[in-house]
């Protein structure tokens, strides 16, 4: 199809824009009215208007009348027009539209631009359209006017240069000729200069007309896209032609719009300012703007829109680089803290700011600190990083800090040679040895950098799921893994030897081997370094009883003990030797314990040694199968002794309980298709016996023992009820274990007593230090309670205990919302996903139980008090339950209908006679379920209303206040 109008040519993008414009210019020179009519209709059609301006309208009507006619033909209800349509076609159309305007001005600048007709008509039309009530006209014409002004600014810039050149030539020519002789060349240059001046004057008038007629009215338009267009273009004018636009009378508009409610507009302001602040020659003219709007820009990294926050941070970095002392030390400190934020692009921008401002000082390479050796610059940077990390007091976020700096400081963050050299340096060699806190921080930094290099993705909680690495990134990752392995295989044993007594440092260092490429040990013939590592780990296990260190040691053996790698036999021998020694110590201690008369009268030293031995075994039993050492019988004997006598210290019971649990788990994991029946029966007996012990310990005098037994029991029941046993159906049948009613009641009672009962607080006069400790204890206590509740809720979600048990938990939803609301809500959501109807019945059961408790506490002669605290709390709980159904009424249709059905039946329970003339005792329960009425679909409201009618006589027997709940409930269904 041959395109006939400008709109069709531009929207189809059939030819290069240059030739389209050239054709139009030729047409204008032939007949300017016809060509202008085509251009006017182009702008009208680009707005999505179907109307056409005819030649008669164009010649006879006033501009405002043309506008009115076009508005009348515009379908205002249709909010769709080319500029806001999505998809690649319309995106290209917008680009073509903008390009057309730019090329049009460029092609006309040598001829018809100054004919006092073309631009006057176009500017007049666009200004008129920009004042229209119709959004499509306003948006399209504002974009056109702004792009027109941008193009005119470029023309003015060229004219300025030409005028300047003509002036210089004129002056040179004038100096060249002597006396009063006239010169043709001089006259020619003078005429040229005046022509440029005249053109500049006309251009200036055009710019003023567009700026005052369109920009000043539209930069505050109600439509954010229009505001954003204005701000984007003013930023472009300032950068293109700073001599005319870089002054406060134009900058103020960008400053004001930094406060715009729409993120899109704020973003355009920041991007425009970045273009200005990135050029040092322009920054010197920004002093007034900077002092007026700096505080606003400094606050913008906290913007709720992520992209705005990121660009604000980038702008602040440019400001700090190019404006001297614009940001105070306090402001910089505040901005540096954004390296710890969870949104990665903002953290990376803050990382760049931190790196360029604090860590990367030019000249580091030249001015090396004394004694720095080959690591001078890196050492200096590292020390600055450690100092920053310690001063920021967010010690647990080192992984976030490293991730933020990774893109900018990757080179020095991968300088593990320098880091370890700094740790191994002696104070004698260099007076500037690191302090203990600095060493701890550096070890954390080493671990974080090793993790980032080896895993190749941000830490947990920052960014989406693991990203797919490109071929180049994969190559870098493999090279880094090899570099880590080759370096730390040799250095790690030395570091462990140096810090073997420091639990925190050792626990961190022992996490490094998980990132090794273990094949390097055999390919590089580095087995002697493996021996050194195993010796150090064994030494550490002997020295420490701290759980984090023991678990890290156990994990190290687990990582090195992979059957498929060449070093397996070497590590397995070392592991067996270590376990033999640990079991030997335990057997010796247990032997001494049982020899004493009934095992009593142990001194503190013996208890501590026994506790440490059991903890070491427990830490290793977690990751390694120690069944062949027959640990189960030894620890079970301790637990049985405690059940019978109740005299063992808690320090012994806890690890013994853990060891017994791990022993059974390993036995359970070993069940295969070929396991003989006798083995299964023996295991079944052991499982039942252990469950009995845990149940008994739920009433132990030690709180820690009670909680440990509860946690193990919950995990245990979950594992037993969902085991696979390698497709051995007989094993599943024998070992499957669902808790009986008695055990379910005990578990629920435990939760009520240990989680939901609040301990009374005594008012004490405490020092600030004591208050801090108490606050810390409360937080730990809350964390334990949350773990207990979550463990129990898992049993409900996975159908290990009956769903109705959740009713008791739901009662506390509002009361304990701040502490446990998220856990209870998730339980509610999961149970609803499992079984909608049963979940709804559990909710109504919860409300019924609360109502009965409330009714029993009231004076029966006075009826139910609707204003009492307990009734108000019930209504609030029902409202919260109602909110959990969300907005999708169709999805929750069956559940809500069930709540109403059960609620009505409960409300009329105990009513005497079918006619319902006697007041039912639970009638006020209808007030509670009325909270769910707004979740019913209209047809369902009619059904529920019909169901309600079965229970009541018409007309209502009594109009007294006691029947009010029924009237309110009926009204909620009829609404």
């Amino acid at each position: 199809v041959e395109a006939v109008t400008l709109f069709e040519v531009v929207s189809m993008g059939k030819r290069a824009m240059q030739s389209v414009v050239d054709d139009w210019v030729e047409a204008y020179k032939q007949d300017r009215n016809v060509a202008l009519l085509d251009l006017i209709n182009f702008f009208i059609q680009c707005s999505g208007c179907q109307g056409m301006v005819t030649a008669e309208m164009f010649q006879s009507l006033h501009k405002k009348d043309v506008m009115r006619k076009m508005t009348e033909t515009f379908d205002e209800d249709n909010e769709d027009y080319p500029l806001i349509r999505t998809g690649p076609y319309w995106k290209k159309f917008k680009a073509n539209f903008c390009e057309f305007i730019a090329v049009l001005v460029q092609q006309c600048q040598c001829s018809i631009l100054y004919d006092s007709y073309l631009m006057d008509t176009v500017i007049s039309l666009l200004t008129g359209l920009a004042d229209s009530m119709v959004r499509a006209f306003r948006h399209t014409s504002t974009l056109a006017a702004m792009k027109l002004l941008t193009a005119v600014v470029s023309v003015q810039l060229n004219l300025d240069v030409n005028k300047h050149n003509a002036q210089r030539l004129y002056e040179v020519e004038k100096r060249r000729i002597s006396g009063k002789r006239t010169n043709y060349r001089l006259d020619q240059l003078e005429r040229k200069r005046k022509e440029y001046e005249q053109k500049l004057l006309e251009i200036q008038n055009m710019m003023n007309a567009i700026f005052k007629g369109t920009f000043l009215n539209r930069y505050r338009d109600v439509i954010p896209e229009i505001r954003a267009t204005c701000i984007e273009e003013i930023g472009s004018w300032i950068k293109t032609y700073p001599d005319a636009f870089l002054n406060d009378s134009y900058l103020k508009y960008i400053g004001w719009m930094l406060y715009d409610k729409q993120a899109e507009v704020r973003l355009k302001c920041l991007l425009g300012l970045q273009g200005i602040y990135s050029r040092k020659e322009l920054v010197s003219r920004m002093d007034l703007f900077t002092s007026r709007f700096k505080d606003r820009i400094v606050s913008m990294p906290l913007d709720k829109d992520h992209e705005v926050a990121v660009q604000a941070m980038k702008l602040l970095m440019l400001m700090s680089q190019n404006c001297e002392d614009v940001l105070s030390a306090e402001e910089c400190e505040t901005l540096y803290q954004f390296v710890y934020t969870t949104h990665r692009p903002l953290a990376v921008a803050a990382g760049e700011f931190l790196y360029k401002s604090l860590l990367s000082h030019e000249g580091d390479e030249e001015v090396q600190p004394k004694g720095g050796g080959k690591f001078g610059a890196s050492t200096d940077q590292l020390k600055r990083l450690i100092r920053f990390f310690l001063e920021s007091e967010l010690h647990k976020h080192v992984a976030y800090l490293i991730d933020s700096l990774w893109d900018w400081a990757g080179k020095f963050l991968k300088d593990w040679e320098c880091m370890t050299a700094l740790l191994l340096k002696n104070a004698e060699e260099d007076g500037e040895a690191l302090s203990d806190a600095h060493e701890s921080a550096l070890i954390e930094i080493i671990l974080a950098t090793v993790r980032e290099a080896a895993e190749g993705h941000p830490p947990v909680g920052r960014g989406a799921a693991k990203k797919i690495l490109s071929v180049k990134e994969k190559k870098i990752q493999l090279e880094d893994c090899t570099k880590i392995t080759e370096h730390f295989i040799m250095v790690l044993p030395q570091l462990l030897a140096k810090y073997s007594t420091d639990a925190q440092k050792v626990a961190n260092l022992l996490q490094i081997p998980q990132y090794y490429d273990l094949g390097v040990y055999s390919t590089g013939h580095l087995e002697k370094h493996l021996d050194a590592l195993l010796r150090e780990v064994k030494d550490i296990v002997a020295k420490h009883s701290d759980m984090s260190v023991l678990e890290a040691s156990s994990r190290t053996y687990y990582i090195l003990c992979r059957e498929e790698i060449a070093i397996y036999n070497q590590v397995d021998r070392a592991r067996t030797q270590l376990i033999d020694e640990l079991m030997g110590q335990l057997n010796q201690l247990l032997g001494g314990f049982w020899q004493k008369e009934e095992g009593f009268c142990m001194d503190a030293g013996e208890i501590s040694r026994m506790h440490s031995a059991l903890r070491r075994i427990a830490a290793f039993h977690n990751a390694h199968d120690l069944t062949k050492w027959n640990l189960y019988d030894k620890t079970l004997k301790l637990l049985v002794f405690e059940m019978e006598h109740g005299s063992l210290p808690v320090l012994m019971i806890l690890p013994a309980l853990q060891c017994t649990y791990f022993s059974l788990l390993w036995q359970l994991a070993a069940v295969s298709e070929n396991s003989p029946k006798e083995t299964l029966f023996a295991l079944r007996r052991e499982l039942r016996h252990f469950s009995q012990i845990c149940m008994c310990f739920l009433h132990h005098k030690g709180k820690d023992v009670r909680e440990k037994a509860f946690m193990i029991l919950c995990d245990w029941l979950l594992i037993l009820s969902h085991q696979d046993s390698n497709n051995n159906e007989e094993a599943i049948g024998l070992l499957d274990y669902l808790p009986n009613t008695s055990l379910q009641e005990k578990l629920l009672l435990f939760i009520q007593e240990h989680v939901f009962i609040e301990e009374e607080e005594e008012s004490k006069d405490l020092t600030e230090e004591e208050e801090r400790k108490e606050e810390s204890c409360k937080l730990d206590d809350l964390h334990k309670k949350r773990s207990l509740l979550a463990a129990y809720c898992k049993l409900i979600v996975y159908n290990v205990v009956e769903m109705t048990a959740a009713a008791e938990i739901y009662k506390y939803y509002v009361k304990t919302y701040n502490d446990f609301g998220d856990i209870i809500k998730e339980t509610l959501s999961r149970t609803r996903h499992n079984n909608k109807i049963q979940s709804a019945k559990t909710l109504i059961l919860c409300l019924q139980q609360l109502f009965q408790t409330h009714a029993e506490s009231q004076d029966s002669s006075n009826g139910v008090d609707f204003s009492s605290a307990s009734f108000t709390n019930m209504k609030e709980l029902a409202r919260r339950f109602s909110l959990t159904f969300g907005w999708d009424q169709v999805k929750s249709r069956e559940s809500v209908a069930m709540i109403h059905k059960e609620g009505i039946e409960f409300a009329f329970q105990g009513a005497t006679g079918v006619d319902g003339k006697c007041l039912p005792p639970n009638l006020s329960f209808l007030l509670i379920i009325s909270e769910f009425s707004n979740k019913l679909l209209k047809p369902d409201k009619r059904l529920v209303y019909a169901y309600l009618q079965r229970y009541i006589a018409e007309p209502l027997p009594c109009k007294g206040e006691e029947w009010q709940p029924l009237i309110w409930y009926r009204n909620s269904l009829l609404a």
Side-chain angles (χ1 to χ4, degrees), residues 658-693:
Q658 195 75 59
C659 285
T660 314
Y661 176 49
F662 287 149
S663 296
L664 285 174
L665 282 181
W666 280 108
Q667 286 182 54
L668 199 61
V671 171
S672 66
E673 281 183 63
N674 309 321
S675 297
K677 245 183 180 178
E678 296 75 36
T679 310
L680 295 176
F681 277 118
L683 181 55
R684 185 185 182 183
R685 277 196 305 277
E686 287 170 2
L687 300 181
R688 298 283 190 274
H689 189 193
F690 183 64
S691 300
Q692 291 296 324
I693 291 171

Side-chain angles (χ1 to χ4, degrees), residues 901-921:
K901 178 181 174 293
E902 297 265 328
I904 291 168
E905 287 171 6
F906 178 74
F908 287 94
Q909 224 175 52
T912 50
V914 187
D915 57 358
K917 282 181 181 168
C918 184
L919 183 75

